[in-house]
Amino acid sequence: MADHGAPEYATADGNDYAEHEGTYAFFTKLTLVSTLALVSLMVSLAIGGVNGHWGLFTIGTLAVLVTTSIGLASQTGRPGLMGAVLLVLLFLLIVTS
């Protein structure tokens, strides 16, 4: 009969646990950055479409593109700059309403 003991991942052949952790970290970073980028883009569209401030929309969209690139290129995966851009866009949406 087969031995039903606990598997030993450190010694198993073909198991690349570090690569699995790296892939998961990239996936969570990509999810976080893309979610913040989409929310920021929707706020920019609201500023342009609802309020008619298309200049602010253009600036906001360019800021979203830049901060998304920085967020994806960062090692930590914490796009703090993107959160700041989102807050500024929300502030502009409130002010221009």
mmCIF file of all heavy atoms in Angstrom, residues 25-76:
data_model
loop_
_atom_site.group_PDB
_atom_site.id
_atom_site.type_symbol
_atom_site.label_atom_id
_atom_site.label_comp_id
_atom_site.label_asym_id
_atom_site.label_seq_id
_atom_site.Cartn_x
_atom_site.Cartn_y
_atom_site.Cartn_z
ATOM 1 N N ALA A 25 2.860 36.433 -6.670
ATOM 2 C CA ALA A 25 3.160 37.833 -6.346
ATOM 3 C C ALA A 25 2.924 38.728 -7.563
ATOM 4 O O ALA A 25 2.371 39.830 -7.442
ATOM 5 C CB ALA A 25 4.592 37.967 -5.850
ATOM 6 N N PHE A 26 3.337 38.265 -8.757
ATOM 7 C CA PHE A 26 3.098 39.054 -9.970
ATOM 8 C C PHE A 26 1.605 39.180 -10.254
ATOM 9 O O PHE A 26 1.121 40.240 -10.647
ATOM 10 C CB PHE A 26 3.809 38.419 -11.162
ATOM 11 C CG PHE A 26 3.524 39.123 -12.455
ATOM 12 C CD1 PHE A 26 4.081 40.361 -12.724
ATOM 13 C CD2 PHE A 26 2.669 38.564 -13.390
ATOM 14 C CE1 PHE A 26 3.797 41.031 -13.898
ATOM 15 C CE2 PHE A 26 2.382 39.216 -14.579
ATOM 16 C CZ PHE A 26 2.950 40.455 -14.824
ATOM 17 N N PHE A 27 0.860 38.101 -10.056
ATOM 18 C CA PHE A 27 -0.580 38.129 -10.302
ATOM 19 C C PHE A 27 -1.282 39.114 -9.369
ATOM 20 O O PHE A 27 -2.140 39.890 -9.806
ATOM 21 C CB PHE A 27 -1.179 36.726 -10.125
ATOM 22 C CG PHE A 27 -2.669 36.696 -10.218
ATOM 23 C CD1 PHE A 27 -3.296 36.803 -11.443
ATOM 24 C CD2 PHE A 27 -3.447 36.568 -9.078
ATOM 25 C CE1 PHE A 27 -4.676 36.788 -11.549
ATOM 26 C CE2 PHE A 27 -4.826 36.552 -9.163
ATOM 27 C CZ PHE A 27 -5.444 36.659 -10.391
ATOM 28 N N THR A 28 -0.929 39.107 -8.097
ATOM 29 C CA THR A 28 -1.568 40.037 -7.165
ATOM 30 C C THR A 28 -1.172 41.479 -7.481
ATOM 31 O O THR A 28 -2.009 42.382 -7.376
ATOM 32 C CB THR A 28 -1.218 39.696 -5.710
ATOM 33 O OG1 THR A 28 0.196 39.653 -5.553
ATOM 34 C CG2 THR A 28 -1.819 38.372 -5.306
ATOM 35 N N LYS A 29 0.088 41.703 -7.888
ATOM 36 C CA LYS A 29 0.513 43.055 -8.266
ATOM 37 C C LYS A 29 -0.243 43.521 -9.504
ATOM 38 O O LYS A 29 -0.726 44.647 -9.561
ATOM 39 C CB LYS A 29 2.018 43.096 -8.514
ATOM 40 C CG LYS A 29 2.523 44.460 -8.958
ATOM 41 C CD LYS A 29 4.031 44.516 -9.087
ATOM 42 C CE LYS A 29 4.491 43.820 -10.331
ATOM 43 N NZ LYS A 29 5.913 44.092 -10.638
ATOM 44 N N LEU A 30 -0.364 42.651 -10.493
ATOM 45 C CA LEU A 30 -1.082 42.992 -11.718
ATOM 46 C C LEU A 30 -2.547 43.286 -11.430
ATOM 47 O O LEU A 30 -3.125 44.236 -11.981
ATOM 48 C CB LEU A 30 -0.949 41.854 -12.725
ATOM 49 C CG LEU A 30 -1.583 42.054 -14.088
ATOM 50 C CD1 LEU A 30 -0.843 43.162 -14.840
ATOM 51 C CD2 LEU A 30 -1.534 40.765 -14.883
ATOM 52 N N THR A 31 -3.159 42.512 -10.563
ATOM 53 C CA THR A 31 -4.556 42.732 -10.204
ATOM 54 C C THR A 31 -4.739 44.068 -9.505
ATOM 55 O O THR A 31 -5.658 44.837 -9.817
ATOM 56 C CB THR A 31 -5.058 41.593 -9.308
ATOM 57 O OG1 THR A 31 -4.879 40.349 -9.985
ATOM 58 C CG2 THR A 31 -6.518 41.767 -8.951
ATOM 59 N N LEU A 32 -3.868 44.374 -8.556
ATOM 60 C CA LEU A 32 -3.965 45.638 -7.820
ATOM 61 C C LEU A 32 -3.756 46.838 -8.734
ATOM 62 O O LEU A 32 -4.563 47.786 -8.725
ATOM 63 C CB LEU A 32 -2.937 45.659 -6.690
ATOM 64 C CG LEU A 32 -2.841 46.941 -5.876
ATOM 65 C CD1 LEU A 32 -4.126 47.162 -5.082
ATOM 66 C CD2 LEU A 32 -1.645 46.896 -4.963
ATOM 67 N N VAL A 33 -2.727 46.793 -9.537
ATOM 68 C CA VAL A 33 -2.408 47.932 -10.409
ATOM 69 C C VAL A 33 -3.503 48.127 -11.462
ATOM 70 O O VAL A 33 -3.942 49.247 -11.714
ATOM 71 C CB VAL A 33 -1.027 47.742 -11.066
ATOM 72 C CG1 VAL A 33 -0.783 48.769 -12.150
ATOM 73 C CG2 VAL A 33 0.070 47.823 -10.017
ATOM 74 N N SER A 34 -3.967 47.049 -12.056
ATOM 75 C CA SER A 34 -4.981 47.190 -13.103
ATOM 76 C C SER A 34 -6.318 47.646 -12.531
ATOM 77 O O SER A 34 -7.035 48.425 -13.172
ATOM 78 C CB SER A 34 -5.139 45.884 -13.881
ATOM 79 O OG SER A 34 -5.575 44.846 -13.028
ATOM 80 N N THR A 35 -6.666 47.216 -11.330
ATOM 81 C CA THR A 35 -7.908 47.679 -10.707
ATOM 82 C C THR A 35 -7.843 49.170 -10.420
ATOM 83 O O THR A 35 -8.788 49.919 -10.726
ATOM 84 C CB THR A 35 -8.187 46.904 -9.414
ATOM 85 O OG1 THR A 35 -8.278 45.510 -9.718
ATOM 86 C CG2 THR A 35 -9.470 47.369 -8.758
ATOM 87 N N LEU A 36 -6.735 49.622 -9.844
ATOM 88 C CA LEU A 36 -6.583 51.051 -9.580
ATOM 89 C C LEU A 36 -6.557 51.861 -10.874
ATOM 90 O O LEU A 36 -7.107 52.968 -10.933
ATOM 91 C CB LEU A 36 -5.314 51.309 -8.771
ATOM 92 C CG LEU A 36 -5.373 50.897 -7.303
ATOM 93 C CD1 LEU A 36 -4.004 51.065 -6.663
ATOM 94 C CD2 LEU A 36 -6.410 51.685 -6.563
ATOM 95 N N ALA A 37 -5.940 51.316 -11.915
ATOM 96 C CA ALA A 37 -5.890 52.025 -13.192
ATOM 97 C C ALA A 37 -7.287 52.162 -13.796
ATOM 98 O O ALA A 37 -7.645 53.227 -14.310
ATOM 99 C CB ALA A 37 -4.964 51.296 -14.165
ATOM 100 N N LEU A 38 -8.075 51.102 -13.733
ATOM 101 C CA LEU A 38 -9.423 51.169 -14.291
ATOM 102 C C LEU A 38 -10.314 52.131 -13.510
ATOM 103 O O LEU A 38 -11.093 52.887 -14.108
ATOM 104 C CB LEU A 38 -10.045 49.779 -14.334
ATOM 105 C CG LEU A 38 -9.471 48.857 -15.398
ATOM 106 C CD1 LEU A 38 -10.047 47.458 -15.264
ATOM 107 C CD2 LEU A 38 -9.760 49.404 -16.779
ATOM 108 N N VAL A 39 -10.198 52.127 -12.194
ATOM 109 C CA VAL A 39 -10.994 53.058 -11.394
ATOM 110 C C VAL A 39 -10.576 54.494 -11.700
ATOM 111 O O VAL A 39 -11.433 55.376 -11.862
ATOM 112 C CB VAL A 39 -10.848 52.727 -9.893
ATOM 113 C CG1 VAL A 39 -11.445 53.820 -9.024
ATOM 114 C CG2 VAL A 39 -11.513 51.404 -9.578
ATOM 115 N N SER A 40 -9.281 54.732 -11.801
ATOM 116 C CA SER A 40 -8.797 56.074 -12.124
ATOM 117 C C SER A 40 -9.264 56.517 -13.507
ATOM 118 O O SER A 40 -9.634 57.682 -13.718
ATOM 119 C CB SER A 40 -7.270 56.117 -12.063
ATOM 120 O OG SER A 40 -6.822 55.815 -10.781
ATOM 121 N N LEU A 41 -9.241 55.595 -14.460
ATOM 122 C CA LEU A 41 -9.695 55.934 -15.807
ATOM 123 C C LEU A 41 -11.190 56.244 -15.826
ATOM 124 O O LEU A 41 -11.636 57.164 -16.529
ATOM 125 C CB LEU A 41 -9.376 54.792 -16.768
ATOM 126 C CG LEU A 41 -9.647 55.060 -18.241
ATOM 127 C CD1 LEU A 41 -8.809 56.230 -18.732
ATOM 128 C CD2 LEU A 41 -9.346 53.825 -19.054
ATOM 129 N N MET A 42 -11.979 55.522 -15.046
ATOM 130 C CA MET A 42 -13.412 55.802 -14.977
ATOM 131 C C MET A 42 -13.682 57.172 -14.359
ATOM 132 O O MET A 42 -14.584 57.899 -14.803
ATOM 133 C CB MET A 42 -14.142 54.722 -14.166
ATOM 134 C CG MET A 42 -14.179 53.370 -14.826
ATOM 135 S SD MET A 42 -15.013 53.415 -16.412
ATOM 136 C CE MET A 42 -13.680 52.992 -17.498
ATOM 137 N N VAL A 43 -12.882 57.547 -13.359
ATOM 138 C CA VAL A 43 -13.032 58.884 -12.770
ATOM 139 C C VAL A 43 -12.650 59.948 -13.799
ATOM 140 O O VAL A 43 -13.318 60.982 -13.913
ATOM 141 C CB VAL A 43 -12.201 59.007 -11.478
ATOM 142 C CG1 VAL A 43 -12.189 60.432 -10.969
ATOM 143 C CG2 VAL A 43 -12.743 58.076 -10.412
ATOM 144 N N SER A 44 -11.592 59.691 -14.569
ATOM 145 C CA SER A 44 -11.205 60.644 -15.622
ATOM 146 C C SER A 44 -12.306 60.781 -16.662
ATOM 147 O O SER A 44 -12.607 61.886 -17.124
ATOM 148 C CB SER A 44 -9.921 60.188 -16.312
ATOM 149 O OG SER A 44 -8.831 60.308 -15.466
ATOM 150 N N LEU A 45 -12.919 59.673 -17.038
ATOM 151 C CA LEU A 45 -14.019 59.724 -17.996
ATOM 152 C C LEU A 45 -15.214 60.475 -17.417
ATOM 153 O O LEU A 45 -15.920 61.183 -18.145
ATOM 154 C CB LEU A 45 -14.420 58.317 -18.425
ATOM 155 C CG LEU A 45 -13.490 57.653 -19.423
ATOM 156 C CD1 LEU A 45 -13.840 56.181 -19.575
ATOM 157 C CD2 LEU A 45 -13.555 58.351 -20.762
ATOM 158 N N ALA A 46 -15.450 60.330 -16.124
ATOM 159 C CA ALA A 46 -16.544 61.065 -15.502
ATOM 160 C C ALA A 46 -16.259 62.559 -15.514
ATOM 161 O O ALA A 46 -17.169 63.373 -15.734
ATOM 162 C CB ALA A 46 -16.756 60.578 -14.068
ATOM 163 N N ILE A 47 -15.015 62.936 -15.282
ATOM 164 C CA ILE A 47 -14.650 64.352 -15.326
ATOM 165 C C ILE A 47 -14.866 64.907 -16.734
ATOM 166 O O ILE A 47 -15.422 65.986 -16.916
ATOM 167 C CB ILE A 47 -13.188 64.555 -14.879
ATOM 168 C CG1 ILE A 47 -13.058 64.291 -13.378
ATOM 169 C CG2 ILE A 47 -12.695 65.955 -15.199
ATOM 170 C CD1 ILE A 47 -11.631 64.251 -12.894
ATOM 171 N N GLY A 48 -14.457 64.163 -17.738
ATOM 172 C CA GLY A 48 -14.600 64.646 -19.114
ATOM 173 C C GLY A 48 -16.007 64.551 -19.643
ATOM 174 O O GLY A 48 -16.521 65.496 -20.240
ATOM 175 N N GLY A 49 -16.650 63.415 -19.452
ATOM 176 C CA GLY A 49 -17.958 63.192 -20.052
ATOM 177 C C GLY A 49 -19.093 63.881 -19.342
ATOM 178 O O GLY A 49 -19.966 64.467 -19.974
ATOM 179 N N VAL A 50 -19.095 63.825 -18.028
ATOM 180 C CA VAL A 50 -20.210 64.393 -17.273
ATOM 181 C C VAL A 50 -20.046 65.896 -17.117
ATOM 182 O O VAL A 50 -20.991 66.660 -17.295
ATOM 183 C CB VAL A 50 -20.325 63.711 -15.886
ATOM 184 C CG1 VAL A 50 -21.381 64.387 -15.033
ATOM 185 C CG2 VAL A 50 -20.637 62.237 -16.055
ATOM 186 N N ASN A 51 -18.839 66.313 -16.785
ATOM 187 C CA ASN A 51 -18.622 67.735 -16.515
ATOM 188 C C ASN A 51 -18.131 68.509 -17.730
ATOM 189 O O ASN A 51 -18.108 69.725 -17.707
ATOM 190 C CB ASN A 51 -17.619 67.909 -15.372
ATOM 191 C CG ASN A 51 -18.160 67.379 -14.062
ATOM 192 O OD1 ASN A 51 -19.355 67.346 -13.867
ATOM 193 N ND2 ASN A 51 -17.281 66.948 -13.187
ATOM 194 N N GLY A 52 -17.691 67.822 -18.765
ATOM 195 C CA GLY A 52 -17.252 68.498 -19.972
ATOM 196 C C GLY A 52 -15.857 69.090 -19.901
ATOM 197 O O GLY A 52 -15.493 69.900 -20.745
ATOM 198 N N HIS A 53 -15.073 68.693 -18.926
ATOM 199 C CA HIS A 53 -13.704 69.182 -18.794
ATOM 200 C C HIS A 53 -12.757 68.199 -19.480
ATOM 201 O O HIS A 53 -12.103 67.381 -18.828
ATOM 202 C CB HIS A 53 -13.331 69.356 -17.317
ATOM 203 C CG HIS A 53 -14.160 70.365 -16.609
ATOM 204 N ND1 HIS A 53 -13.960 71.721 -16.764
ATOM 205 C CD2 HIS A 53 -15.200 70.236 -15.752
ATOM 206 C CE1 HIS A 53 -14.840 72.371 -16.029
ATOM 207 N NE2 HIS A 53 -15.613 71.490 -15.406
ATOM 208 N N TRP A 54 -12.661 68.287 -20.790
ATOM 209 C CA TRP A 54 -11.882 67.315 -21.548
ATOM 210 C C TRP A 54 -10.382 67.530 -21.395
ATOM 211 O O TRP A 54 -9.597 66.603 -21.581
ATOM 212 C CB TRP A 54 -12.302 67.337 -23.009
ATOM 213 C CG TRP A 54 -13.688 66.801 -23.163
ATOM 214 C CD1 TRP A 54 -14.814 67.523 -23.404
ATOM 215 C CD2 TRP A 54 -14.102 65.450 -23.004
ATOM 216 N NE1 TRP A 54 -15.909 66.694 -23.423
ATOM 217 C CE2 TRP A 54 -15.500 65.417 -23.190
ATOM 218 C CE3 TRP A 54 -13.435 64.266 -22.732
ATOM 219 C CZ2 TRP A 54 -16.238 64.238 -23.101
ATOM 220 C CZ3 TRP A 54 -14.169 63.084 -22.646
ATOM 221 C CH2 TRP A 54 -15.550 63.082 -22.828
ATOM 222 N N GLY A 55 -9.958 68.724 -21.039
ATOM 223 C CA GLY A 55 -8.547 68.963 -20.757
ATOM 224 C C GLY A 55 -8.102 68.206 -19.511
ATOM 225 O O GLY A 55 -7.032 67.583 -19.481
ATOM 226 N N LEU A 56 -8.932 68.244 -18.466
ATOM 227 C CA LEU A 56 -8.628 67.477 -17.255
ATOM 228 C C LEU A 56 -8.681 65.979 -17.525
ATOM 229 O O LEU A 56 -7.916 65.210 -16.947
ATOM 230 C CB LEU A 56 -9.608 67.845 -16.132
ATOM 231 C CG LEU A 56 -9.468 69.231 -15.532
ATOM 232 C CD1 LEU A 56 -10.559 69.483 -14.506
ATOM 233 C CD2 LEU A 56 -8.094 69.397 -14.911
ATOM 234 N N PHE A 57 -9.600 65.570 -18.405
ATOM 235 C CA PHE A 57 -9.661 64.162 -18.786
ATOM 236 C C PHE A 57 -8.360 63.724 -19.443
ATOM 237 O O PHE A 57 -7.825 62.657 -19.133
ATOM 238 C CB PHE A 57 -10.840 63.923 -19.733
ATOM 239 C CG PHE A 57 -10.723 62.646 -20.510
ATOM 240 C CD1 PHE A 57 -10.973 61.431 -19.900
ATOM 241 C CD2 PHE A 57 -10.354 62.661 -21.849
ATOM 242 C CE1 PHE A 57 -10.861 60.240 -20.618
ATOM 243 C CE2 PHE A 57 -10.249 61.486 -22.563
ATOM 244 C CZ PHE A 57 -10.504 60.274 -21.947
ATOM 245 N N THR A 58 -7.840 64.539 -20.344
ATOM 246 C CA THR A 58 -6.598 64.196 -21.040
ATOM 247 C C THR A 58 -5.432 64.117 -20.068
ATOM 248 O O THR A 58 -4.640 63.160 -20.110
ATOM 249 C CB THR A 58 -6.303 65.236 -22.134
ATOM 250 O OG1 THR A 58 -7.421 65.312 -23.016
ATOM 251 C CG2 THR A 58 -5.057 64.873 -22.916
ATOM 252 N N ILE A 59 -5.335 65.099 -19.175
ATOM 253 C CA ILE A 59 -4.263 65.079 -18.184
ATOM 254 C C ILE A 59 -4.413 63.872 -17.263
ATOM 255 O O ILE A 59 -3.432 63.189 -16.935
ATOM 256 C CB ILE A 59 -4.252 66.398 -17.387
ATOM 257 C CG1 ILE A 59 -3.851 67.552 -18.297
ATOM 258 C CG2 ILE A 59 -3.322 66.315 -16.186
ATOM 259 C CD1 ILE A 59 -4.043 68.916 -17.681
ATOM 260 N N GLY A 60 -5.629 63.584 -16.840
ATOM 261 C CA GLY A 60 -5.867 62.432 -15.971
ATOM 262 C C GLY A 60 -5.540 61.115 -16.647
ATOM 263 O O GLY A 60 -4.957 60.218 -16.038
ATOM 264 N N THR A 61 -5.899 60.981 -17.918
ATOM 265 C CA THR A 61 -5.602 59.756 -18.652
ATOM 266 C C THR A 61 -4.097 59.562 -18.827
ATOM 267 O O THR A 61 -3.584 58.449 -18.658
ATOM 268 C CB THR A 61 -6.299 59.779 -20.024
ATOM 269 O OG1 THR A 61 -7.700 59.949 -19.827
ATOM 270 C CG2 THR A 61 -6.052 58.494 -20.788
ATOM 271 N N LEU A 62 -3.392 60.627 -19.133
ATOM 272 C CA LEU A 62 -1.931 60.528 -19.244
ATOM 273 C C LEU A 62 -1.305 60.177 -17.894
ATOM 274 O O LEU A 62 -0.363 59.365 -17.825
ATOM 275 C CB LEU A 62 -1.350 61.825 -19.792
ATOM 276 C CG LEU A 62 -1.690 62.139 -21.250
ATOM 277 C CD1 LEU A 62 -1.161 63.521 -21.631
ATOM 278 C CD2 LEU A 62 -1.136 61.073 -22.180
ATOM 279 N N ALA A 63 -1.832 60.751 -16.815
ATOM 280 C CA ALA A 63 -1.321 60.421 -15.477
ATOM 281 C C ALA A 63 -1.588 58.966 -15.131
ATOM 282 O O ALA A 63 -0.735 58.295 -14.529
ATOM 283 C CB ALA A 63 -1.954 61.341 -14.445
ATOM 284 N N VAL A 64 -2.745 58.455 -15.521
ATOM 285 C CA VAL A 64 -3.064 57.047 -15.269
ATOM 286 C C VAL A 64 -2.107 56.142 -16.042
ATOM 287 O O VAL A 64 -1.617 55.136 -15.510
ATOM 288 C CB VAL A 64 -4.539 56.747 -15.638
ATOM 289 C CG1 VAL A 64 -4.802 55.263 -15.689
ATOM 290 C CG2 VAL A 64 -5.466 57.415 -14.649
ATOM 291 N N LEU A 65 -1.821 56.474 -17.289
ATOM 292 C CA LEU A 65 -0.891 55.663 -18.079
ATOM 293 C C LEU A 65 0.504 55.646 -17.471
ATOM 294 O O LEU A 65 1.153 54.592 -17.388
ATOM 295 C CB LEU A 65 -0.837 56.177 -19.517
ATOM 296 C CG LEU A 65 -2.072 55.938 -20.371
ATOM 297 C CD1 LEU A 65 -1.928 56.642 -21.710
ATOM 298 C CD2 LEU A 65 -2.296 54.457 -20.569
ATOM 299 N N VAL A 66 0.962 56.799 -17.021
ATOM 300 C CA VAL A 66 2.303 56.879 -16.434
ATOM 301 C C VAL A 66 2.364 56.110 -15.120
ATOM 302 O O VAL A 66 3.289 55.317 -14.888
ATOM 303 C CB VAL A 66 2.715 58.359 -16.237
ATOM 304 C CG1 VAL A 66 3.961 58.474 -15.379
ATOM 305 C CG2 VAL A 66 2.934 59.018 -17.580
ATOM 306 N N THR A 67 1.380 56.322 -14.243
ATOM 307 C CA THR A 67 1.412 55.634 -12.952
ATOM 308 C C THR A 67 1.187 54.135 -13.081
ATOM 309 O O THR A 67 1.726 53.360 -12.296
ATOM 310 C CB THR A 67 0.384 56.231 -11.988
ATOM 311 O OG1 THR A 67 -0.900 56.214 -12.599
ATOM 312 C CG2 THR A 67 0.751 57.645 -11.595
ATOM 313 N N THR A 68 0.420 53.706 -14.081
ATOM 314 C CA THR A 68 0.269 52.270 -14.318
ATOM 315 C C THR A 68 1.588 51.662 -14.753
ATOM 316 O O THR A 68 1.968 50.584 -14.276
ATOM 317 C CB THR A 68 -0.809 52.012 -15.388
ATOM 318 O OG1 THR A 68 -2.038 52.579 -14.954
ATOM 319 C CG2 THR A 68 -0.987 50.537 -15.643
ATOM 320 N N SER A 69 2.312 52.335 -15.609
ATOM 321 C CA SER A 69 3.627 51.843 -16.027
ATOM 322 C C SER A 69 4.589 51.763 -14.853
ATOM 323 O O SER A 69 5.320 50.780 -14.696
ATOM 324 C CB SER A 69 4.220 52.752 -17.104
ATOM 325 O OG SER A 69 3.368 52.811 -18.210
ATOM 326 N N ILE A 70 4.579 52.793 -14.011
ATOM 327 C CA ILE A 70 5.451 52.791 -12.837
ATOM 328 C C ILE A 70 5.035 51.681 -11.869
ATOM 329 O O ILE A 70 5.883 50.977 -11.307
ATOM 330 C CB ILE A 70 5.421 54.165 -12.141
ATOM 331 C CG1 ILE A 70 6.095 55.203 -13.038
ATOM 332 C CG2 ILE A 70 6.104 54.110 -10.780
ATOM 333 C CD1 ILE A 70 5.930 56.624 -12.543
ATOM 334 N N GLY A 71 3.737 51.501 -11.671
ATOM 335 C CA GLY A 71 3.252 50.458 -10.767
ATOM 336 C C GLY A 71 3.614 49.064 -11.235
ATOM 337 O O GLY A 71 3.978 48.205 -10.435
ATOM 338 N N LEU A 72 3.527 48.822 -12.543
ATOM 339 C CA LEU A 72 3.888 47.501 -13.063
ATOM 340 C C LEU A 72 5.390 47.266 -13.050
ATOM 341 O O LEU A 72 5.847 46.138 -12.918
ATOM 342 C CB LEU A 72 3.344 47.323 -14.479
ATOM 343 C CG LEU A 72 1.835 47.169 -14.589
ATOM 344 C CD1 LEU A 72 1.420 47.113 -16.050
ATOM 345 C CD2 LEU A 72 1.359 45.935 -13.855
ATOM 346 N N ALA A 73 6.166 48.334 -13.183
ATOM 347 C CA ALA A 73 7.620 48.190 -13.193
ATOM 348 C C ALA A 73 8.212 48.122 -11.793
ATOM 349 O O ALA A 73 9.362 47.713 -11.641
ATOM 350 C CB ALA A 73 8.252 49.349 -13.957
ATOM 351 N N SER A 74 7.441 48.498 -10.771
ATOM 352 C CA SER A 74 7.988 48.511 -9.417
ATOM 353 C C SER A 74 8.170 47.084 -8.910
ATOM 354 O O SER A 74 7.424 46.178 -9.267
ATOM 355 C CB SER A 74 7.071 49.287 -8.479
ATOM 356 O OG SER A 74 5.888 48.564 -8.250
ATOM 357 N N GLN A 75 9.141 46.903 -8.065
ATOM 358 C CA GLN A 75 9.413 45.583 -7.487
ATOM 359 C C GLN A 75 8.438 45.258 -6.365
ATOM 360 O O GLN A 75 8.084 44.103 -6.164
ATOM 361 C CB GLN A 75 10.848 45.514 -6.956
ATOM 362 C CG GLN A 75 11.888 45.554 -8.032
ATOM 363 C CD GLN A 75 11.959 44.260 -8.827
ATOM 364 O OE1 GLN A 75 11.009 43.488 -8.898
ATOM 365 N NE2 GLN A 75 13.086 44.027 -9.427
ATOM 366 N N THR A 76 8.037 46.273 -5.625
ATOM 367 C CA THR A 76 7.200 46.020 -4.456
ATOM 368 C C THR A 76 5.754 45.735 -4.823
ATOM 369 O O THR A 76 5.056 45.045 -4.082
ATOM 370 C CB THR A 76 7.237 47.222 -3.501
ATOM 371 O OG1 THR A 76 6.740 48.369 -4.184
ATOM 372 C CG2 THR A 76 8.646 47.478 -3.001
#
